[in-house]
Amino acid sequence: MMSERYIAARGAARDSATVRLLAEGMDGFWTDVIAPMDQDGDGKVDLREMAEGFKRVLTDSTLYPEQIEPVTNCFFDLVDLNEDGKIDQAEFQQMFDSVAGVPGEDCAAVFAALDRDGSGALDRAEFHRAVTEFFYGNDPDAPANHLFGRVAG
């Protein structure tokens, strides 16, 4: 669903290379990472199964290149609305507000925390660092914990 929301918000053509790669990447992510979390065999992964599965599966950040990186690259390309190779605050806010329902003030705070070099934009490396931190990190105060919206402590 998140992929579909990004694609729609971006207005990307269904036959574009980015959309094809995102669909393939998300299918692979589902098959390799999420589907095995279905503990009761009902063909669905509920919140409990996903939380337990992430604790079990996403423990080794050296697996990032095969588990998460391909999908992250596609999401980066979809969020980079002007295709300049970086995500500025307006692009970040537009996409995360329209796709994930993250309020503007939260987007601004998260963006500022993720923009570690203070350049006013996230390059691909900063975006990957944030996603890596989100999925594999164990620091409860890490800025990337709020990547998809402010998490109350």
Side-chain angles (χ1 to χ4, degrees):
M1 288 179 64
M2 183 176 275
S3 303
E4 292 297 321
R5 290 179 190 154
Y6 273 98
I7 292 164
R10 175 71 159 89
R14 292 274 168 204
D15 61 347
S16 72
T18 299
V19 169
R20 275 194 315 278
L21 286 172
L22 181 59
E24 290 169 8
M26 290 303 286
D27 286 347
F29 184 68
W30 173 263
T31 301
D32 299 336
V33 178
I34 304 295
M37 296 177 188
D38 179 14
Q39 296 172 3
D40 59 13
D42 67 353
K44 299 174 185 173
V45 177
D46 64 29
L47 183 58
R48 180 192 56 77
E49 290 171 323
M50 184 169 283
E52 289 175 10
F54 276 166
K55 285 180 190 175
R56 203 173 49 254
V57 176
L58 297 176
T59 58
D60 183 356
S61 63
T62 64
L63 297 176
Y64 180 84
E66 63 190 69
Q67 289 181 327
I68 310 289
E69 184 175 4
V71 176
T72 301
N73 280 327
C74 292
F75 278 118
F76 183 93
D77 293 339
L78 286 170
V79 177
D80 180 15
L81 298 172
N82 64 6
E83 301 176 353
D84 67 352
K86 54 190 176 213
I87 299 169
D88 63 29
Q89 184 174 340
E91 291 169 324
F92 185 86
Q93 187 160 335
Q94 179 180 345
M95 292 301 286
F96 280 82
D97 181 38
S98 64
V99 173
V102 179
E105 60 276 4
D106 286 352
C107 278
V110 170
F111 182 86
L114 297 179
D115 181 18
R116 294 181 180 183
D117 65 4
S119 68
L122 302 177
D123 61 23
R124 197 173 293 269
E126 284 174 307
F127 194 68
H128 278 290
R129 190 167 35 253
V131 175
T132 300
E133 191 173 80
F134 179 82
F135 281 108
Y136 299 99
N138 59 8
D139 176 1
D141 299 321
N145 292 342
H146 309 287
L147 186 59
F148 297 104
R150 181 88 30 216
V151 177

